[in-house]
């Protein structure tokens, strides 16, 4: 985790120069419109319009941080979100989201007050790590770390 944070921080100044992705979410990413795509309509306060289509956010989520990085042929970032969703609902949401976007779950960790999933595309060009932390009151914090190969 520390290494990921260090890489994200190192890339922040480069990422502020602008996103190289610039693509819109595909129309079929959320066919029934029940799952908002991160760069779809209904901004959440902190800019999320440059996220790749495979990074979906729950409707109830409020983004508290969005650190971006670009490093040569790779781009990615870390988001932290607050949500009223239960950890079980969040994990179900991201299992379905990863399946929709062709990300195979290769890592799953569960510990006291933490659940983590890591999904990767078959060609290893896209990855998404989801960590759900629960505080003593039962409130969930969601951390998303995403990366992708860019041309």
């Amino acid at each position: 985790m520390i290494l990921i944070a260090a890489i994200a921080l190192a890339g922040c100044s480069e990422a502020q120069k602008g996103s190289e992705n610039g693509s819109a979410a595909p129309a079929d990413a959320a066919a029934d419109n029940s799952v908002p795509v991160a760069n779809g309509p209904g901004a959440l306060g902190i800019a999320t319009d440059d996220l790749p289509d495979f990074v979906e956010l729950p409707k109830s989520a409020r983004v508290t941080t969005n650190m971006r990085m670009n490093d040569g042929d790779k781009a990615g970032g870390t988001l932290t979100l607050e949500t009223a969703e239960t950890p079980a609902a969040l994990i179900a949401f991201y299992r379905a989201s990863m399946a929709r976007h062709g990300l195979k779950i290769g890592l799953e960790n569960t510990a006291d007050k933490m659940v983590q999933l890591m999904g990767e595309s078959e060609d290893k060009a896209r990855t998404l790590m989801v960590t759900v932390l629960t505080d003593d009151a039962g409130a969930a914090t969601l951390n998303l770390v995403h990366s992708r190969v860019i041309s």
Side-chain angles (χ1 to χ4, degrees):
M1 256 339 230
I2 293 172
L3 178 61
I4 293 170
I7 292 169
L9 286 173
C12 283
S13 62
E14 183 67 24
Q16 291 173 350
K17 293 179 184 175
S19 170
E20 294 183 32
N21 182 16
S23 63
D28 64 344
D32 66 355
N33 292 326
S34 64
V35 179
V37 176
N39 57 351
L44 299 174
I46 293 176
T48 58
D49 59 341
D50 63 341
L51 293 174
D53 65 345
F54 65 93
V55 180
E56 295 180 340
L57 305 179
K59 287 182 181 182
S60 68
R62 186 175 74 83
V63 179
T64 59
T65 61
N66 182 6
M67 296 186 340
R68 298 172 209 105
M69 65 158 240
N70 288 309
D71 184 20
D73 67 343
K74 295 182 181 173
T78 301
L79 287 98
T80 303
L81 305 97
E82 296 174 344
T83 179
E85 298 289 328
T86 66
L90 291 168
I91 293 302
F93 176 89
Y94 281 103
R95 282 184 190 284
S97 176
M98 287 179 183
R100 260 192 310 281
H101 293 286
L103 301 178
K104 181 180 178 185
I105 296 173
L107 170 77
E108 186 169 345
N109 289 323
T110 303
D112 189 35
K113 300 183 181 186
M114 185 210 68
V115 179
Q116 190 173 54
L117 299 175
M118 173 114 173
E120 184 174 55
S121 62
E122 188 173 323
D123 62 1
K124 301 190 184 309
R126 299 173 296 138
T127 61
L128 178 62
M129 182 169 58
V130 176
T131 305
V132 179
L133 302 168
T134 309
D135 67 16
D136 290 334
T141 300
L142 179 61
N143 185 289
L144 305 175
V145 178
H146 60 92
S147 66
R148 67 192 178 282
V149 174
I150 54 176
S151 309

